[in-house]
Amino acid sequence: MNGGGWLTIRQGQAADLSKIPALAADGFADHVLAGRARGGRLANLFGRRVSADTIRLYAFLAFDSASRFEVCTTDVRRGPEAQAAPAYPSISAQWPAAQAFEREIAEQFGVHPLGHPWLKPLRYHATDDGSPAPWGPFDPNRAIPGDYPFYRVEGEEVHEVAVGPVHAGIIEPGHFRFQCHGEEVLHLEIVLGYQHRGAERLLLHPNATRSAIVAETIAGDASIGHALAYCTALEALAGSRVSLRAAAIRGVALELERLANHVGDLGALCTDVAFLPASAYLGRLRGEYLNLTLEICGNRFGRNLLRPGGVCFDIPLASAERMRQRLEGLRSETLEVLDLMFAQSSVLARFEGVGALSEQQADEIGLVGPAARACGCRRDVRCDHPHGVFQFSHIPIAVETTGDVYARAVVRWLEVQRSLEFLLELLGNKPGGTIFEPLGELKPNVMAFGVAETWRGEAMHVAFTDAAGKLACMKAKDPSMHNWFGLARALRGMAISDFPVCNKSFNLSYAGHDV
Protein backbone atom coordinates (compact mmCIF):
# COMPACT_ATOMS: atom_id res chain seq x y z
CA MET A 1 0.00 0.00 0.00
CA ASN A 2 1.27 3.46 -0.90
CA GLY A 3 -0.10 6.57 0.74
CA GLY A 4 0.98 9.78 2.45
CA GLY A 5 4.49 9.55 1.05
CA TRP A 6 5.17 6.15 2.60
CA LEU A 7 5.03 2.58 1.35
CA THR A 8 3.60 0.13 3.89
CA ILE A 9 5.46 -3.17 3.92
CA ARG A 10 5.77 -6.22 6.16
CA GLN A 11 8.69 -8.58 6.49
CA GLY A 12 8.48 -11.45 4.06
CA GLN A 13 7.14 -9.17 1.32
CA ALA A 14 9.04 -7.82 -1.68
CA ALA A 15 8.38 -4.26 -2.83
CA ASP A 16 8.86 -2.96 -6.36
CA LEU A 17 11.55 -0.27 -6.14
CA SER A 18 9.53 2.07 -8.35
CA LYS A 19 6.68 2.06 -5.82
CA ILE A 20 8.72 3.39 -2.89
CA PRO A 21 7.79 7.09 -2.52
CA ALA A 22 10.60 9.50 -3.36
CA LEU A 23 10.71 12.87 -1.60
CA ALA A 24 12.64 16.06 -2.15
CA ALA A 25 15.83 16.11 -0.09
CA ASP A 26 14.98 19.36 1.67
CA GLY A 27 11.69 17.90 2.95
CA PHE A 28 12.98 14.45 3.89
CA ALA A 29 13.73 15.20 7.55
CA ASP A 30 10.35 16.87 8.14
CA HIS A 31 8.60 13.91 6.50
CA VAL A 32 10.39 11.40 8.74
CA LEU A 33 9.68 13.51 11.83
CA ALA A 34 6.01 13.62 10.85
CA GLY A 35 6.10 9.81 10.77
CA ARG A 36 7.47 9.88 14.30
CA ALA A 37 4.59 12.10 15.35
CA ARG A 38 2.20 9.41 14.07
CA GLY A 39 3.85 6.89 16.42
CA GLY A 40 6.63 5.55 14.21
CA ARG A 41 9.93 4.20 15.54
CA LEU A 42 13.12 4.68 13.49
CA ALA A 43 14.05 1.11 12.60
CA ASN A 44 16.64 1.92 9.96
CA LEU A 45 18.12 4.79 7.97
CA PHE A 46 20.81 4.18 5.39
CA GLY A 47 22.16 5.23 2.02
CA ARG A 48 22.75 3.44 -1.26
CA ARG A 49 24.72 4.80 -4.20
CA VAL A 50 22.59 4.68 -7.36
CA SER A 51 24.87 6.73 -9.67
CA ALA A 52 28.22 8.48 -9.59
CA ASP A 53 26.75 11.64 -8.05
CA THR A 54 23.52 10.42 -6.41
CA ILE A 55 22.98 8.73 -3.06
CA ARG A 56 19.51 7.37 -2.29
CA LEU A 57 18.53 7.49 1.38
CA TYR A 58 16.00 5.01 2.80
CA ALA A 59 14.09 5.59 6.05
CA PHE A 60 12.24 2.70 7.71
CA LEU A 61 9.73 3.47 10.43
CA ALA A 62 8.25 0.64 12.50
CA PHE A 63 4.67 0.87 13.75
CA ASP A 64 4.94 -2.00 16.19
CA SER A 65 1.40 -2.04 17.51
CA ALA A 66 0.10 -2.25 13.92
CA SER A 67 2.68 -4.89 12.85
CA ARG A 68 3.89 -2.88 9.88
CA PHE A 69 6.84 -0.93 8.56
CA GLU A 70 6.76 2.11 6.33
CA VAL A 71 9.56 3.17 3.99
CA CYS A 72 10.35 6.27 1.93
CA THR A 73 13.38 7.54 0.03
CA THR A 74 15.09 10.70 -1.11
CA ASP A 75 17.97 11.34 -3.50
CA VAL A 76 20.83 13.60 -2.46
CA ARG A 77 23.21 14.83 -5.14
CA ARG A 78 26.35 16.86 -5.48
CA GLY A 79 25.74 20.55 -6.09
CA PRO A 80 26.30 22.35 -9.40
CA GLU A 81 29.91 22.81 -8.45
CA ALA A 82 31.85 19.57 -8.59
CA GLN A 83 33.24 20.02 -5.10
CA ALA A 84 29.88 20.70 -3.43
CA ALA A 85 29.08 17.74 -1.15
CA PRO A 86 25.62 16.15 -1.28
CA ALA A 87 23.57 17.34 1.67
CA TYR A 88 20.16 17.27 3.31
CA PRO A 89 18.69 18.66 6.57
CA SER A 90 19.60 16.43 9.51
CA ILE A 91 17.02 14.41 11.45
CA SER A 92 19.18 13.92 14.55
CA ALA A 93 18.75 17.44 15.91
CA GLN A 94 15.12 16.64 16.69
CA TRP A 95 15.28 12.84 16.91
CA PRO A 96 18.48 11.51 18.56
CA ALA A 97 17.65 7.97 17.38
CA ALA A 98 19.01 8.99 13.96
CA GLN A 99 22.44 10.16 15.15
CA ALA A 100 24.45 6.98 14.43
CA PHE A 101 22.66 6.29 11.13
CA GLU A 102 23.40 9.78 9.82
CA ARG A 103 27.05 9.52 10.86
CA GLU A 104 27.24 6.21 8.98
CA ILE A 105 25.77 7.78 5.81
CA ALA A 106 28.22 10.69 6.07
CA GLU A 107 31.14 8.31 6.49
CA GLN A 108 30.16 5.90 3.71
CA PHE A 109 29.22 8.44 1.02
CA GLY A 110 30.41 11.88 2.08
CA VAL A 111 26.80 13.08 2.48
CA HIS A 112 26.46 16.02 4.86
CA PRO A 113 23.45 15.95 7.25
CA LEU A 114 23.11 19.71 7.74
CA GLY A 115 22.61 20.63 11.38
CA HIS A 116 23.66 17.28 12.86
CA PRO A 117 24.44 18.19 16.46
CA TRP A 118 27.45 15.93 16.87
CA LEU A 119 28.86 14.89 13.52
CA LYS A 120 31.95 12.67 13.81
CA PRO A 121 33.19 9.36 12.38
CA LEU A 122 31.32 6.22 13.31
CA ARG A 123 33.97 3.63 12.33
CA TYR A 124 36.63 5.69 10.57
CA HIS A 125 37.17 4.47 7.04
CA ALA A 126 37.28 6.08 3.57
CA THR A 127 34.10 6.94 1.66
CA ASP A 128 33.11 4.56 -1.13
CA ASP A 129 34.36 6.88 -3.91
CA GLY A 130 37.23 8.49 -2.05
CA SER A 131 35.49 11.86 -1.68
CA PRO A 132 36.04 13.67 1.64
CA ALA A 133 33.65 13.10 4.55
CA PRO A 134 32.11 16.20 6.16
CA TRP A 135 34.94 16.23 8.75
CA GLY A 136 37.67 15.99 6.12
CA PRO A 137 39.44 13.46 3.90
CA PHE A 138 40.32 10.00 5.19
CA ASP A 139 43.88 9.68 6.46
CA PRO A 140 45.06 6.04 6.53
CA ASN A 141 48.12 7.03 8.55
CA ARG A 142 46.13 7.97 11.62
CA ALA A 143 46.79 5.42 14.29
CA ILE A 144 43.35 4.78 15.79
CA PRO A 145 39.72 5.41 14.83
CA GLY A 146 39.17 7.55 17.93
CA ASP A 147 41.69 10.25 17.02
CA TYR A 148 39.15 13.06 16.55
CA PRO A 149 37.86 16.03 18.57
CA PHE A 150 35.02 15.05 20.89
CA TYR A 151 32.96 16.46 23.73
CA ARG A 152 35.17 17.24 26.71
CA VAL A 153 34.49 18.63 30.15
CA GLU A 154 36.90 21.27 31.45
CA GLY A 155 37.40 22.46 35.01
CA GLU A 156 39.33 22.02 38.19
CA GLU A 157 39.71 18.37 39.23
CA VAL A 158 38.04 17.16 36.03
CA HIS A 159 40.07 14.33 34.56
CA GLU A 160 39.84 11.64 31.91
CA VAL A 161 40.02 7.89 32.47
CA ALA A 162 40.78 5.90 29.34
CA VAL A 163 39.86 2.21 29.00
CA GLY A 164 40.84 0.12 25.99
CA PRO A 165 40.79 -0.31 23.08
CA VAL A 166 42.69 -3.45 24.11
CA HIS A 167 40.98 -5.04 27.10
CA ALA A 168 41.81 -7.77 29.53
CA GLY A 169 40.34 -11.15 28.65
CA ILE A 170 38.92 -11.99 25.22
CA ILE A 171 36.41 -9.19 24.58
CA GLU A 172 36.63 -7.20 21.37
CA PRO A 173 38.35 -3.80 20.99
CA GLY A 174 36.56 -0.59 21.90
CA HIS A 175 37.82 2.65 23.44
CA PHE A 176 36.00 4.20 26.41
CA ARG A 177 36.97 7.72 27.51
CA PHE A 178 35.39 8.77 30.80
CA GLN A 179 35.24 12.48 31.64
CA CYS A 180 35.12 12.42 35.44
CA HIS A 181 34.98 14.66 38.46
CA GLY A 182 36.18 12.51 41.29
CA GLU A 183 34.32 9.22 40.94
CA GLU A 184 31.38 10.74 39.07
CA VAL A 185 31.16 10.20 35.30
CA LEU A 186 30.17 13.46 33.59
CA HIS A 187 30.40 12.08 30.07
CA LEU A 188 31.44 8.84 28.35
CA GLU A 189 32.82 8.94 24.82
CA ILE A 190 32.59 5.50 23.21
CA VAL A 191 34.92 5.02 20.25
CA LEU A 192 34.34 1.97 18.06
CA GLY A 193 35.34 1.02 14.53
CA TYR A 194 38.25 -1.31 15.24
CA GLN A 195 36.27 -4.30 13.96
CA HIS A 196 35.13 -2.92 10.59
CA ARG A 197 35.33 -5.76 8.05
CA GLY A 198 33.21 -4.62 5.10
CA ALA A 199 30.74 -7.45 5.78
CA GLU A 200 27.92 -5.86 3.76
CA ARG A 201 29.94 -6.09 0.54
CA LEU A 202 30.69 -9.75 1.27
CA LEU A 203 26.95 -10.41 1.62
CA LEU A 204 26.59 -9.71 -2.11
CA HIS A 205 28.38 -12.90 -3.09
CA PRO A 206 26.25 -14.70 -5.73
CA ASN A 207 26.47 -17.95 -3.78
CA ALA A 208 23.83 -17.52 -1.08
CA THR A 209 25.36 -20.34 0.97
CA ARG A 210 28.66 -18.49 1.11
CA SER A 211 27.11 -15.13 1.98
CA ALA A 212 25.00 -16.80 4.68
CA ILE A 213 28.27 -17.71 6.40
CA VAL A 214 29.13 -14.00 6.45
CA ALA A 215 25.71 -13.16 7.89
CA GLU A 216 26.31 -15.63 10.72
CA THR A 217 29.51 -13.86 11.70
CA ILE A 218 28.26 -10.26 11.78
CA ALA A 219 27.88 -10.78 15.53
CA GLY A 220 29.24 -14.19 16.43
CA ASP A 221 27.11 -14.63 19.57
CA ALA A 222 23.95 -13.82 17.56
CA SER A 223 24.62 -16.11 14.59
CA ILE A 224 21.10 -17.52 14.51
CA GLY A 225 19.43 -14.12 14.78
CA HIS A 226 21.40 -12.53 11.96
CA ALA A 227 21.13 -15.64 9.77
CA LEU A 228 17.35 -15.62 10.30
CA ALA A 229 17.00 -11.97 9.23
CA TYR A 230 19.27 -12.57 6.22
CA CYS A 231 17.39 -15.71 5.09
CA THR A 232 14.00 -14.01 5.48
CA ALA A 233 15.11 -11.14 3.25
CA LEU A 234 16.40 -13.43 0.48
CA GLU A 235 13.37 -15.72 0.65
CA ALA A 236 11.14 -12.67 0.21
CA LEU A 237 13.15 -11.59 -2.84
CA ALA A 238 12.57 -15.04 -4.34
CA GLY A 239 8.93 -15.19 -3.29
CA SER A 240 9.50 -18.49 -1.47
CA ARG A 241 8.32 -19.69 1.92
CA VAL A 242 9.97 -22.24 4.16
CA SER A 243 7.99 -25.13 5.60
CA LEU A 244 6.55 -24.88 9.09
CA ARG A 245 8.95 -27.62 10.21
CA ALA A 246 11.97 -25.62 9.06
CA ALA A 247 10.51 -22.49 10.68
CA ALA A 248 10.06 -24.42 13.94
CA ILE A 249 13.70 -25.55 13.93
CA ARG A 250 14.77 -21.96 13.32
CA GLY A 251 12.64 -20.91 16.29
CA VAL A 252 14.19 -23.59 18.50
CA ALA A 253 17.69 -22.43 17.57
CA LEU A 254 16.85 -18.75 18.12
CA GLU A 255 15.52 -19.40 21.63
CA LEU A 256 18.46 -21.65 22.55
CA GLU A 257 20.75 -18.80 21.49
CA ARG A 258 18.75 -16.43 23.71
CA LEU A 259 18.95 -18.82 26.66
CA ALA A 260 22.71 -19.32 26.37
CA ASN A 261 23.40 -15.58 26.21
CA HIS A 262 20.91 -14.46 28.86
CA VAL A 263 22.09 -17.12 31.30
CA GLY A 264 25.71 -16.25 30.54
CA ASP A 265 25.05 -12.51 31.03
CA LEU A 266 23.27 -13.05 34.33
CA GLY A 267 26.25 -15.11 35.48
CA ALA A 268 28.63 -12.35 34.37
CA LEU A 269 26.59 -9.79 36.33
CA CYS A 270 27.04 -12.00 39.38
CA THR A 271 30.78 -11.99 38.73
CA ASP A 272 30.84 -8.21 38.67
CA VAL A 273 29.14 -7.97 42.07
CA ALA A 274 31.20 -10.80 43.57
CA PHE A 275 28.33 -13.27 43.96
CA LEU A 276 30.54 -16.08 42.80
CA PRO A 277 28.41 -19.17 43.52
CA ALA A 278 25.76 -18.08 41.01
CA SER A 279 28.47 -16.85 38.63
CA ALA A 280 30.04 -20.29 38.45
CA TYR A 281 26.74 -22.13 38.29
CA LEU A 282 25.28 -19.95 35.51
CA GLY A 283 28.52 -20.17 33.57
CA ARG A 284 28.22 -23.94 33.58
CA LEU A 285 24.54 -23.76 32.54
CA ARG A 286 25.39 -21.48 29.60
CA GLY A 287 27.55 -24.28 28.29
CA GLU A 288 24.65 -26.71 28.62
CA TYR A 289 22.42 -24.53 26.41
CA LEU A 290 25.20 -24.10 23.85
CA ASN A 291 25.60 -27.88 23.79
CA LEU A 292 21.94 -28.29 22.88
CA THR A 293 22.54 -26.20 19.75
CA LEU A 294 25.62 -28.32 19.12
CA GLU A 295 23.37 -31.39 19.16
CA ILE A 296 21.23 -29.94 16.35
CA CYS A 297 23.90 -28.83 13.89
CA GLY A 298 27.33 -29.74 15.24
CA ASN A 299 28.24 -26.16 16.19
CA ARG A 300 27.64 -24.56 19.58
CA PHE A 301 26.84 -21.17 18.00
CA GLY A 302 24.48 -22.54 15.38
CA ARG A 303 26.77 -22.01 12.40
CA ASN A 304 25.70 -23.74 9.17
CA LEU A 305 22.17 -24.38 10.44
CA LEU A 306 20.10 -21.72 8.64
CA ARG A 307 20.26 -21.22 4.91
CA PRO A 308 17.94 -19.40 2.47
CA GLY A 309 15.24 -21.98 1.77
CA GLY A 310 15.15 -23.67 5.18
CA VAL A 311 17.59 -25.38 7.51
CA CYS A 312 20.41 -27.85 6.88
CA PHE A 313 19.73 -30.13 9.84
CA ASP A 314 16.54 -31.78 11.06
CA ILE A 315 15.68 -32.60 14.65
CA PRO A 316 14.51 -36.23 14.57
CA LEU A 317 11.82 -37.34 16.99
CA ALA A 318 14.27 -39.15 19.29
CA SER A 319 16.57 -36.11 19.44
CA ALA A 320 13.65 -33.78 20.13
CA GLU A 321 12.55 -35.93 23.04
CA ARG A 322 16.11 -36.13 24.40
CA MET A 323 16.47 -32.33 24.14
CA ARG A 324 13.12 -31.84 25.84
CA GLN A 325 14.14 -34.03 28.76
CA ARG A 326 17.45 -32.17 29.11
CA LEU A 327 15.62 -28.84 29.05
CA GLU A 328 13.27 -30.05 31.80
CA GLY A 329 16.28 -30.70 34.00
CA LEU A 330 17.99 -27.45 33.04
CA ARG A 331 14.83 -25.47 33.77
CA SER A 332 14.73 -26.48 37.41
CA GLU A 333 18.47 -25.88 37.83
CA THR A 334 18.40 -22.49 36.07
CA LEU A 335 15.36 -21.11 37.87
CA GLU A 336 16.63 -22.31 41.23
CA VAL A 337 19.92 -20.44 40.94
CA LEU A 338 18.22 -17.34 39.48
CA ASP A 339 15.76 -17.32 42.38
CA LEU A 340 18.78 -17.43 44.69
CA MET A 341 20.46 -14.58 42.79
CA PHE A 342 17.45 -12.25 42.93
CA ALA A 343 16.88 -13.00 46.61
CA GLN A 344 20.32 -11.67 47.64
CA SER A 345 20.15 -8.17 49.09
CA SER A 346 23.86 -7.68 48.31
CA VAL A 347 23.16 -8.34 44.63
CA LEU A 348 20.07 -6.15 44.44
CA ALA A 349 21.88 -3.28 46.19
CA ARG A 350 24.42 -3.21 43.35
CA PHE A 351 21.75 -3.42 40.63
CA GLU A 352 19.00 -1.06 41.75
CA GLY A 353 19.19 2.55 40.62
CA VAL A 354 22.39 2.02 38.61
CA GLY A 355 22.51 3.22 34.99
CA ALA A 356 18.83 4.11 34.80
CA LEU A 357 17.09 5.38 31.67
CA SER A 358 13.49 6.54 31.46
CA GLU A 359 10.98 5.30 28.90
CA GLN A 360 11.06 8.72 27.25
CA GLN A 361 14.85 8.58 26.92
CA ALA A 362 14.67 5.05 25.52
CA ASP A 363 12.19 6.20 22.88
CA GLU A 364 14.28 9.24 21.92
CA ILE A 365 17.47 7.20 21.64
CA GLY A 366 15.65 4.37 19.85
CA LEU A 367 16.65 1.55 22.19
CA VAL A 368 15.66 -1.99 21.23
CA GLY A 369 15.71 -5.41 22.88
CA PRO A 370 15.96 -6.06 26.63
CA ALA A 371 17.47 -2.59 27.18
CA ALA A 372 14.28 -1.00 25.79
CA ARG A 373 11.90 -3.41 27.52
CA ALA A 374 13.63 -2.68 30.84
CA CYS A 375 12.50 0.94 30.40
CA GLY A 376 8.87 -0.02 29.86
CA CYS A 377 8.93 -0.03 26.03
CA ARG A 378 6.75 -2.87 24.77
CA ARG A 379 8.60 -3.84 21.60
CA ASP A 380 9.63 -7.34 20.58
CA VAL A 381 9.84 -8.46 16.95
CA ARG A 382 8.52 -11.93 17.83
CA CYS A 383 5.22 -10.39 18.97
CA ASP A 384 5.04 -7.16 16.95
CA HIS A 385 6.13 -8.49 13.57
CA PRO A 386 5.68 -12.28 13.87
CA HIS A 387 7.13 -14.42 11.12
CA GLY A 388 7.79 -18.12 10.78
CA VAL A 389 6.89 -20.18 13.83
CA PHE A 390 6.18 -17.07 15.89
CA GLN A 391 2.99 -16.57 13.88
CA PHE A 392 1.62 -19.65 15.64
CA SER A 393 3.45 -19.78 18.99
CA HIS A 394 3.38 -16.49 20.85
CA ILE A 395 5.89 -15.51 23.53
CA PRO A 396 4.67 -12.79 25.94
CA ILE A 397 6.75 -9.59 26.04
CA ALA A 398 8.81 -9.27 29.24
CA VAL A 399 8.76 -5.68 30.51
CA GLU A 400 10.17 -3.80 33.52
CA THR A 401 9.88 -0.11 34.23
CA THR A 402 12.83 1.17 36.27
CA GLY A 403 15.29 1.16 33.35
CA ASP A 404 18.31 0.35 35.52
CA VAL A 405 20.69 -2.61 35.77
CA TYR A 406 18.14 -4.40 37.94
CA ALA A 407 15.42 -4.01 35.29
CA ARG A 408 17.72 -5.23 32.49
CA ALA A 409 18.57 -8.29 34.60
CA VAL A 410 14.92 -8.97 35.46
CA VAL A 411 13.89 -8.80 31.79
CA ARG A 412 16.53 -11.44 31.01
CA TRP A 413 15.30 -13.56 33.92
CA LEU A 414 11.71 -13.40 32.61
CA GLU A 415 12.79 -14.14 29.05
CA VAL A 416 14.72 -17.20 30.21
CA GLN A 417 11.52 -18.57 31.73
CA ARG A 418 9.42 -17.84 28.65
CA SER A 419 11.96 -19.21 26.19
CA LEU A 420 12.09 -22.44 28.20
CA GLU A 421 8.31 -22.76 28.12
CA PHE A 422 8.29 -22.10 24.37
CA LEU A 423 10.96 -24.73 23.69
CA LEU A 424 9.37 -27.41 25.88
CA GLU A 425 6.07 -26.95 24.07
CA LEU A 426 7.56 -26.82 20.58
CA LEU A 427 9.90 -29.80 20.98
CA GLY A 428 6.98 -31.88 22.20
CA ASN A 429 4.83 -30.98 19.20
CA LYS A 430 7.11 -30.27 16.24
CA PRO A 431 5.26 -29.88 12.91
CA GLY A 432 5.94 -32.07 9.89
CA GLY A 433 7.21 -31.16 6.42
CA THR A 434 10.46 -30.81 4.57
CA ILE A 435 13.34 -28.85 6.04
CA PHE A 436 14.78 -27.31 2.88
CA GLU A 437 13.64 -26.20 -0.57
CA PRO A 438 16.12 -24.59 -2.97
CA LEU A 439 15.67 -20.88 -3.39
CA GLY A 440 14.24 -19.85 -6.77
CA GLU A 441 15.29 -16.96 -8.95
CA LEU A 442 15.23 -13.54 -7.31
CA LYS A 443 12.71 -11.01 -8.62
CA PRO A 444 14.25 -8.07 -10.51
CA ASN A 445 14.21 -4.49 -9.20
CA VAL A 446 12.67 -5.23 -5.81
CA MET A 447 13.52 -4.67 -2.16
CA ALA A 448 12.77 -6.92 0.81
CA PHE A 449 13.86 -7.16 4.40
CA GLY A 450 13.96 -9.54 7.34
CA VAL A 451 13.89 -8.66 11.03
CA ALA A 452 14.64 -10.98 13.93
CA GLU A 453 14.49 -10.50 17.69
CA THR A 454 18.00 -11.58 18.61
CA TRP A 455 18.81 -11.86 22.29
CA ARG A 456 20.15 -8.25 22.09
CA GLY A 457 17.17 -6.90 20.17
CA GLU A 458 16.09 -6.18 16.63
CA ALA A 459 18.44 -7.22 13.80
CA MET A 460 17.45 -6.13 10.30
CA HIS A 461 18.73 -7.14 6.86
CA VAL A 462 17.53 -5.20 3.79
CA ALA A 463 18.25 -6.58 0.31
CA PHE A 464 17.91 -5.05 -3.18
CA THR A 465 18.06 -6.64 -6.62
CA ASP A 466 18.97 -5.09 -9.95
CA ALA A 467 17.21 -5.36 -13.30
CA ALA A 468 18.77 -8.78 -13.91
CA GLY A 469 17.53 -10.18 -10.60
CA LYS A 470 20.99 -10.15 -9.01
CA LEU A 471 21.71 -8.91 -5.52
CA ALA A 472 22.66 -5.24 -5.86
CA CYS A 473 22.85 -4.06 -2.25
CA MET A 474 22.64 -5.56 1.26
CA LYS A 475 22.25 -3.56 4.44
CA ALA A 476 22.74 -5.31 7.79
CA LYS A 477 21.85 -3.69 11.11
CA ASP A 478 22.73 -5.10 14.52
CA PRO A 479 20.71 -3.95 17.55
CA SER A 480 23.92 -2.54 19.02
CA MET A 481 23.68 0.25 16.44
CA HIS A 482 20.75 1.60 18.47
CA ASN A 483 21.95 0.81 21.97
CA TRP A 484 25.58 1.99 22.33
CA PHE A 485 24.34 5.57 22.71
CA GLY A 486 22.03 4.33 25.48
CA LEU A 487 24.98 2.94 27.42
CA ALA A 488 26.82 6.28 27.20
CA ARG A 489 23.70 8.10 28.39
CA ALA A 490 23.08 5.66 31.24
CA LEU A 491 26.57 6.27 32.68
CA ARG A 492 26.09 10.00 33.19
CA GLY A 493 26.06 10.83 36.86
CA MET A 494 27.08 7.31 37.87
CA ALA A 495 30.26 6.36 39.72
CA ILE A 496 32.92 5.07 37.38
CA SER A 497 33.03 1.88 39.46
CA ASP A 498 29.47 1.21 38.22
CA PHE A 499 30.65 0.90 34.63
CA PRO A 500 31.39 -2.85 34.60
CA VAL A 501 27.97 -3.86 35.87
CA CYS A 502 26.20 -1.27 33.71
CA ASN A 503 28.16 -2.28 30.61
CA LYS A 504 27.43 -5.96 31.25
CA SER A 505 23.71 -5.29 31.64
CA PHE A 506 23.66 -3.93 28.06
CA ASN A 507 26.33 -6.36 26.73
CA LEU A 508 26.52 -4.81 23.26
CA SER A 509 28.38 -6.10 20.24
CA TYR A 510 31.49 -4.37 18.94
CA ALA A 511 31.63 -6.45 15.75
CA GLY A 512 27.90 -6.06 15.12
CA HIS A 513 28.20 -2.28 15.33
CA ASP A 514 31.31 -2.13 13.15
CA VAL A 515 29.98 -4.64 10.57
Side-chain angles (χ1 to χ4, degrees), residues 459-472:
M460 185 175 195
H461 286 231
V462 188
F464 297 82
T465 58
D466 60 16
K470 305 296 183 186
L471 271 180

Side-chain angles (χ1 to χ4, degrees), residues 349-371:
R350 290 290 291 115
F351 287 180
E352 291 174 340
V354 175
L357 291 170
S358 67
E359 183 176 358
Q360 179 183 354
Q361 289 173 320
D363 278 333
E364 289 178 349
I365 295 169
L367 293 184
V368 296

Side-chain angles (χ1 to χ4, degrees), residues 33 41 74 219 333 337 378 441 477 514:
L33 291 169
R41 172 176 62 82
T74 189
E333 287 187 81
V337 71
R378 297 187 63 83
E441 295 293 321
K477 183 205 71 177
D514 292 349

Side-chain angles (χ1 to χ4, degrees), residues 290-350:
L290 290 174
N291 287 341
L292 285 172
T293 303
L294 173 75
E295 183 158 331
I296 299 174
C297 65
N299 184 285
R300 300 177 88 203
F301 295 96
R303 305 280 170 83
N304 302 316
L305 175 56
L306 275 67
R307 289 293 178 268
V311 293
C312 297
F313 299 88
D314 199 0
I315 304 179
L317 185 61
S319 294
E321 179 57 23
R322 189 165 57 248
M323 291 176 65
R324 201 185 62 78
Q325 291 178 3
R326 286 175 63 183
L327 280 169
E328 286 280 13
L330 289 172
R331 177 167 67 171
S332 61
E333 287 187 81
T334 304
L335 299 186
E336 185 177 346
V337 71
L338 289 179
D339 286 344
L340 178 65
M341 170 185 169
F342 283 97
Q344 299 299 310
S345 58
S346 61
V347 171
L348 300 183
R350 290 290 291 115

